Amino acid sequence: MDSFFDEVTNRRYPYPAFRKDLHWHLTVDTALIHRKLVDPYRELTHRPGIAPVEAQWAHITLLHGQPLDDLAPGQAEKIAEIVTGECEQIAPFDVTLDRPSVGRVAIECPGRPGAPARRLWDLTARAGAEVTQDNFPRIPASYYPHLSLGYGSPTPTQRADRAELKAWLSDCPYGPVTLRITSLSLVAQWHTGQYIHWDHLATIPLAGEAPPC
């Protein structure tokens, strides 16, 4: 596996270590993530060449937004205000996380269906563009929900062997996990070059009513 952290640091729009950027997450049940995903896959994720994600830092990113220092006073609050207003009409929904797959830079559990989460990705991107006069790219440029259990380590001598990881998964009995998404989280997120952390800024509920069956 290649290094996830080298990739985000060296991409076209770099995300250097320790810089705090606004991020939107789908709020997840940390206890459920710990019980159903982090613990069962510990043998997979705690290997040389992988930076494992502990339950408290597990997340489903919606949008990587603006660097906090690039925003004018009050802009983050204004973005949250716009998103809050629209979320009053959006109902909670379920996301099913499938068994993890071994990607080029991360071990991730893809989520489905994508459409409800993609609606929120579009909403948060539009709110940020409106407040900042569209001066930051949409990251990611296209969206699918997923939760990463581990990232490729930046240490070249300890790169994880993808074939070995896939072999372990071929013997793994665990199945999909369904999460109920009832809110969004706005955070100031940074990475250390090895792990991801954030400061919580706001929780925005999905306050709409589900359509009748």
Side-chain angles (χ1 to χ4, degrees), residues 3-203:
S3 168
F4 168 85
F5 298 98
D6 285 350
E7 180 166 287
V8 298
T9 301
N10 295 302
R11 66 191 180 192
R12 182 180 179 186
Y13 298 99
Y15 182 30
F18 299 102
R19 189 185 75 191
K20 292 187 177 183
D21 289 5
L22 286 184
H23 278 69
W24 287 97
H25 297 169
L26 298 179
T27 307
V28 298
D29 182 336
T30 301
L32 180 62
I33 294 296
H34 189 281
R35 189 172 70 253
K36 294 288 190 178
L37 291 174
V38 171
D39 269 0
Y41 293 102
R42 190 168 294 275
E43 185 180 339
L44 176 71
T45 58
H46 286 63
R47 296 176 180 228
I50 300 174
V53 179
E54 297 302 328
Q56 71 186 98
W57 303 115
H59 57 284
I60 301 176
T61 298
L62 270 176
L63 187 79
H64 179 164
Q66 296 79 0
L68 209 58
D69 288 345
D70 288 356
L71 295 178
Q75 284 190 319
E77 292 80 2
K78 182 60 178 178
I79 292 170
E81 179 184 327
I82 293 171
V83 173
T84 299
E86 294 208 30
C87 282
E88 290 177 353
Q89 306 302 318
I90 298 176
F93 58 93
D94 289 338
V95 170
T96 297
L97 297 173
D98 286 321
R99 287 161 48 91
S101 60
V102 181
R104 185 174 56 83
V105 297
I107 298 171
E108 67 175 38
C109 301
R112 53 185 167 84
R118 197 170 296 115
R119 177 183 180 186
L120 296 173
W121 163 76
D122 183 65
L123 161 58
T124 53
R126 284 189 290 103
E130 177 181 333
V131 172
T132 65
Q133 285 73 57
D134 202 23
N135 65 354
F136 193 75
R138 186 176 287 207
I139 302 174
S142 57
Y143 181 75
Y144 67 96
H146 64 278
L147 184 145
S148 294
L149 297 177
Y151 299 103
S153 166
T155 307
T157 57
Q158 292 187 318
R159 288 188 176 178
D161 187 314
R162 294 179 66 199
E164 290 182 1
L165 300 176
K166 291 179 180 181
W168 188 90
L169 281 168
S170 72
D171 295 326
C172 173
Y174 309 118
V177 176
T178 298
L179 305 176
R180 185 68 171 169
I181 305 300
T182 61
S183 63
L184 308 185
S185 296
L186 178 62
V187 304
Q189 182 167 307
W190 72 96
H191 71 88
T192 66
Q194 185 78 15
Y195 299 104
I196 290 174
H197 304 279
W198 61 79
D199 297 325
H200 181 263
L201 301 178
T203 297

